[in-house]
Amino acid sequence: MNAVDYLRISLIDRCNFRCQYCMPEGAELDYILRQQLLTDAELLSLIEEVFIPVGFTRFRLTGGEPLLRPGVIEIVRAIAAFPQTQDLAMTTNGFLLAGMAQALYDAGLRRINISLDSLEPDTFDQIIGNRSRSRWQQVWQGIQSAYQVGFDPLKLNVVVIPGVNDHEVLDLAALTIDRQWHVRFIEFMPIGNSQLFGDRGWIASEELRQRIRDSFGLTESQVRGNGPADVFQIPGAKGTLGFISQMSECFCDRCNRMRLSADGWLRPCLLNEGHQIDLKTPLRAGADMAQLRKELRQLLAIKPEINFKQRESGITGAYSRTMSQIGG
Ligand code: SAM
Ligand code: SF4
């Protein structure tokens, strides 16, 4: 069993995109009210006085769209400055990245994952629910800016939806041939849009690997991340390919993470809604940080039993929170 030392922090549940698989247009989402969001000071004191003392050293900022959070640069700077922080990363849709990449890097962010589900502007706009001027170019510019600024490794996340973007798997994989990028294919999960999931289903990573193997060849990479991705490489390519197979495989025994929502709920397992603890209410009521550390230690102790226990209910689309609300 891995040590659990990695916290994914949702900075905000709102987003400037409406990805079909995450927060589709027309879906009724209960946004977190501003006064319910953890303030910067509350978030930072939870990290410094609760998570770090219990052994967390690696943090990822996500959302919603984390670049929409006011003061995100200062939050990055503060987390990067904790001496115990060994790794600080972000997952973003990249739309605002071109103008912020340098400031994020200067503040101490070193790793970034950018979601890019398509190389075709029309398909991209269809996926992100955009009806006005295409947003693809601006996201691509954000990716280029991050690369130029020096984010390394630069990772692109692709959620593969059958009949929507699966015809692009080879083109997306080919991005890694000449670039030292890491393209990660994520199996579509029934979180966020269970109707789309019911209509389209999902494609197992092994099927994608077979398609790539047939066209380019594929070898297991020597580079092994410490996350859930299985890493492969097209022979001779500069970059790598990752496959996150939470639907077709169970990688709970490798799980090293918990998730903190923007309103202060700590979730021990992505696909199990049980055992979440509310950190904000006791924090605002003046609770002793030692008490919160005790609760966190108790949750860590039972985490191995929580993982995937309710996986079946997940597959029927029974989740109450979307990835944007959980902090994907
Ligand atoms: N807005 C940022 C972004 O899109 O990168 C960060 C938050 S988003 C919720 C984090 C990741 O979750 C993205 O890579 C997104 O593609 C993925 N995601 C969202 N809904 C998903 C679903 N139903 N199945 C699989 N991945 C999903
Ligand atoms: Fe927004 Fe990211 Fe969800 Fe797309 S996946 S709607 S960009 S939070």
Side-chain angles (χ1 to χ4, degrees):
M1 183 62 63
N2 280 337
V4 177
D5 61 359
Y6 176 34
L7 185 67
R8 294 177 74 99
I9 301 164
S10 173
L11 291 182
I12 189 164
D13 61 336
R14 292 170 195 259
C15 190
N16 40 6
F17 286 5
R18 287 287 173 275
C19 298
Q20 285 184 32
Y21 50 74
C22 180
M23 43 197 309
E25 281 177 294
E28 283 184 31
L29 293 173
D30 292 327
Y31 288 115
I32 299 169
L33 298 174
R34 195 184 170 84
Q35 59 270 31
Q36 296 301 331
L37 284 178
L38 286 177
T39 63
D40 296 2
E42 287 169 342
L43 173 62
L44 294 172
S45 61
L46 281 176
I47 295 173
E48 186 176 22
E49 296 175 58
V50 179
F51 288 99
I52 287 178
V54 170
F56 285 78
T57 56
R58 300 185 300 122
F59 305 98
R60 176 174 295 273
L61 304 176
T62 177
E65 175 44 43
L67 296 182
L68 290 179
R69 166 94 180 207
V72 61
I73 305 283
E74 289 316 311
I75 293 173
V76 166
R77 198 185 316 281
I79 299 176
F82 292 132
Q84 298 89 343
T85 299
Q86 288 178 11
D87 186 28
L88 177 58
M90 178 180 281
T91 303
T92 170
N93 63 30
F95 189 62
L96 298 174
L97 193 54
M100 296 174 81
Q102 186 71 56
L104 289 165
Y105 192 84
D106 293 345
L109 191 72
R110 285 295 174 273
R111 298 200 306 116
I112 202 154
N113 289 29
I114 305 158
S115 297
L116 184 77
D117 295 326
S118 175
L119 293 170
E120 301 169 354
D122 288 349
T123 307
F124 182 80
D125 288 326
Q126 186 203 333
I127 292 171
I128 68 160
N130 181 39
R131 281 189 243 112
S132 57
R133 199 167 64 89
S134 177
R135 293 186 162 193
W136 186 89
Q137 193 62 42
Q138 188 164 328
V139 170
W140 187 250
Q141 189 52 50
I143 293 169
Q144 303 297 333
S145 301
Y147 188 55
Q148 280 152 17
V149 161
F151 281 102
D152 182 23
L154 187 81
K155 296 189 180 178
L156 302 185
N157 284 357
V158 182
V159 177
V160 181
I161 315 280
V164 175
N165 63 346
D166 66 307
H167 62 286
E168 291 189 67
V169 164
L170 295 179
D171 292 338
L172 286 157
L175 288 175
T176 64
I177 295 176
D178 297 324
R179 300 172 179 84
Q180 218 177 332
W181 292 359
H182 180 69
V183 174
R184 310 191 324 158
F185 296 104
I186 303 172
E187 288 175 351
F188 180 24
M189 288 182 284
I191 300 181
N193 189 344
S194 49
Q195 194 186 330
L196 180 69
F197 186 85
D199 292 349
R200 300 280 183 177
W202 51 282
I203 302 182
S205 295
E206 180 48 30
E207 184 183 330
L208 302 182
R209 285 196 289 266
Q210 194 54 50
R211 289 191 207 171
I212 298 167
R213 205 175 277 126
D214 289 346
S215 293
F216 301 116
L218 198 61
T219 53
E220 216 159 324
S221 170
Q222 300 307 312
V223 187
R224 163 105 228 134
N226 47 16
D230 296 310
V231 185
F232 289 76
Q233 199 160 26
I234 294 172
K238 290 186 180 159
T240 51
L241 295 169
F243 297 86
I244 305 196
S245 317
Q246 69 286 352
M247 297 301 294
S248 61
E249 290 169 23
C250 179
F251 44 68
C252 298
D253 58 333
R254 289 193 250 155
C255 184
N256 56 2
R257 62 199 56 199
M258 287 199 187
R259 290 174 160 82
L260 181 65
S261 71
D263 56 351
W265 282 88
L266 181 64
R267 184 176 179 123
C269 172
L270 174 62
L271 294 175
N272 181 331
E273 297 196 310
H275 304 277
Q276 300 182 58
I277 54 177
D278 173 12
L279 294 175
K280 185 190 69 212
T281 306
L283 183 71
R284 288 192 179 170
D288 186 356
M289 289 299 194
Q291 177 59 29
L292 298 184
R293 288 195 288 274
K294 188 173 161 203
E295 282 184 38
L296 175 54
R297 284 200 181 91
Q298 285 166 347
L299 193 60
L300 282 167
I302 60 166
K303 179 167 158 52
E305 295 144 42
I306 299 169
N307 283 337
F308 276 106
K309 280 275 162 72
Q310 290 162 9
R311 188 180 163 119
E312 288 310 318
S313 71
I315 288 172
T316 61
Y319 294 106
S320 60
R321 281 194 151 190
T322 66
M323 288 288 274
S324 62
Q325 291 166 322
I326 299 164

PDB file of all heavy atoms in Angstrom, residues 15 17 19 21-23 64 93 324, ligand 2:
ATOM      1  N   CYS A  15     -16.366  27.139 -13.858  1.00  0.00           N
ATOM      2  CA  CYS A  15     -15.522  26.911 -15.014  1.00  0.00           C
ATOM      3  C   CYS A  15     -15.969  27.773 -16.181  1.00  0.00           C
ATOM      4  O   CYS A  15     -17.149  28.110 -16.294  1.00  0.00           O
ATOM      5  CB  CYS A  15     -15.582  25.431 -15.408  1.00  0.00           C
ATOM      6  SG  CYS A  15     -14.336  25.041 -16.652  1.00  0.00           S
ATOM      7  N   PHE A  17     -15.552  26.644 -19.243  1.00  0.00           N
ATOM      8  CA  PHE A  17     -15.951  25.668 -20.254  1.00  0.00           C
ATOM      9  C   PHE A  17     -17.162  24.883 -19.744  1.00  0.00           C
ATOM     10  O   PHE A  17     -17.443  24.884 -18.550  1.00  0.00           O
ATOM     11  CB  PHE A  17     -14.821  24.667 -20.531  1.00  0.00           C
ATOM     12  CG  PHE A  17     -13.665  25.221 -21.347  1.00  0.00           C
ATOM     13  CD1 PHE A  17     -13.594  26.545 -21.715  1.00  0.00           C
ATOM     14  CD2 PHE A  17     -12.641  24.375 -21.743  1.00  0.00           C
ATOM     15  CE1 PHE A  17     -12.520  27.041 -22.460  1.00  0.00           C
ATOM     16  CE2 PHE A  17     -11.568  24.854 -22.479  1.00  0.00           C
ATOM     17  CZ  PHE A  17     -11.500  26.185 -22.831  1.00  0.00           C
ATOM     18  N   CYS A  19     -17.652  21.328 -20.555  1.00  0.00           N
ATOM     19  CA  CYS A  19     -17.334  20.061 -21.220  1.00  0.00           C
ATOM     20  C   CYS A  19     -18.496  19.080 -21.078  1.00  0.00           C
ATOM     21  O   CYS A  19     -19.059  18.919 -19.999  1.00  0.00           O
ATOM     22  CB  CYS A  19     -16.068  19.465 -20.639  1.00  0.00           C
ATOM     23  SG  CYS A  19     -14.645  20.543 -20.908  1.00  0.00           S
ATOM     24  N   TYR A  21     -18.703  16.017 -20.823  1.00  0.00           N
ATOM     25  CA  TYR A  21     -18.582  14.899 -19.884  1.00  0.00           C
ATOM     26  C   TYR A  21     -18.436  15.354 -18.445  1.00  0.00           C
ATOM     27  O   TYR A  21     -18.338  14.531 -17.541  1.00  0.00           O
ATOM     28  CB  TYR A  21     -17.381  14.017 -20.250  1.00  0.00           C
ATOM     29  CG  TYR A  21     -16.106  14.789 -20.469  1.00  0.00           C
ATOM     30  CD1 TYR A  21     -15.420  15.323 -19.389  1.00  0.00           C
ATOM     31  CD2 TYR A  21     -15.615  15.019 -21.748  1.00  0.00           C
ATOM     32  CE1 TYR A  21     -14.264  16.061 -19.570  1.00  0.00           C
ATOM     33  CE2 TYR A  21     -14.453  15.754 -21.946  1.00  0.00           C
ATOM     34  CZ  TYR A  21     -13.793  16.276 -20.856  1.00  0.00           C
ATOM     35  OH  TYR A  21     -12.660  17.019 -21.032  1.00  0.00           O
ATOM     36  N   CYS A  22     -18.372  16.665 -18.247  1.00  0.00           N
ATOM     37  CA  CYS A  22     -18.089  17.158 -16.896  1.00  0.00           C
ATOM     38  C   CYS A  22     -19.229  18.014 -16.367  1.00  0.00           C
ATOM     39  O   CYS A  22     -19.880  17.668 -15.398  1.00  0.00           O
ATOM     40  CB  CYS A  22     -16.780  17.939 -16.900  1.00  0.00           C
ATOM     41  SG  CYS A  22     -16.307  18.600 -15.291  1.00  0.00           S
ATOM     42  N   MET A  23     -19.459  19.152 -16.984  1.00  0.00           N
ATOM     43  CA  MET A  23     -20.561  20.019 -16.540  1.00  0.00           C
ATOM     44  C   MET A  23     -21.304  20.526 -17.782  1.00  0.00           C
ATOM     45  O   MET A  23     -21.194  21.694 -18.149  1.00  0.00           O
ATOM     46  CB  MET A  23     -20.073  21.162 -15.641  1.00  0.00           C
ATOM     47  CG  MET A  23     -18.827  21.843 -16.093  1.00  0.00           C
ATOM     48  SD  MET A  23     -18.010  22.844 -14.803  1.00  0.00           S
ATOM     49  CE  MET A  23     -19.282  23.856 -14.159  1.00  0.00           C
ATOM     50  N   GLY A  64     -13.308  22.431 -11.118  1.00  0.00           N
ATOM     51  CA  GLY A  64     -13.465  23.701 -11.784  1.00  0.00           C
ATOM     52  C   GLY A  64     -12.187  24.114 -12.524  1.00  0.00           C
ATOM     53  O   GLY A  64     -11.313  23.329 -12.745  1.00  0.00           O
ATOM     54  N   ASN A  93      -7.695  23.862 -17.941  1.00  0.00           N
ATOM     55  CA  ASN A  93      -8.149  23.723 -19.334  1.00  0.00           C
ATOM     56  C   ASN A  93      -7.310  24.586 -20.277  1.00  0.00           C
ATOM     57  O   ASN A  93      -7.502  24.541 -21.486  1.00  0.00           O
ATOM     58  CB  ASN A  93      -9.648  24.046 -19.479  1.00  0.00           C
ATOM     59  CG  ASN A  93     -10.020  25.480 -19.126  1.00  0.00           C
ATOM     60  OD1 ASN A  93      -9.219  26.402 -19.293  1.00  0.00           O
ATOM     61  ND2 ASN A  93     -11.244  25.674 -18.645  1.00  0.00           N
ATOM     62  N   SER A 324     -15.901  18.569 -11.617  1.00  0.00           N
ATOM     63  CA  SER A 324     -15.594  19.986 -11.377  1.00  0.00           C
ATOM     64  C   SER A 324     -15.886  20.348  -9.924  1.00  0.00           C
ATOM     65  O   SER A 324     -15.280  21.253  -9.377  1.00  0.00           O
ATOM     66  CB  SER A 324     -16.421  20.879 -12.309  1.00  0.00           C
ATOM     67  OG  SER A 324     -17.799  20.708 -12.052  1.00  0.00           O
TER      68      SER A 324
HETATM   69 FE1  SF4 B   2     -14.326  22.847 -16.883  1.00  0.00          FE
HETATM   70 FE2  SF4 B   2     -12.346  21.108 -16.657  1.00  0.00          FE
HETATM   71 FE3  SF4 B   2     -14.884  20.324 -16.266  1.00  0.00          FE
HETATM   72 FE4  SF4 B   2     -14.101  20.966 -18.714  1.00  0.00          FE
HETATM   73  S1  SF4 B   2     -13.312  19.270 -17.450  1.00  0.00           S
HETATM   74  S2  SF4 B   2     -16.005  21.669 -17.711  1.00  0.00           S
HETATM   75  S3  SF4 B   2     -12.666  22.553 -18.341  1.00  0.00           S
HETATM   76  S4  SF4 B   2     -13.765  21.731 -15.016  1.00  0.00           S
END
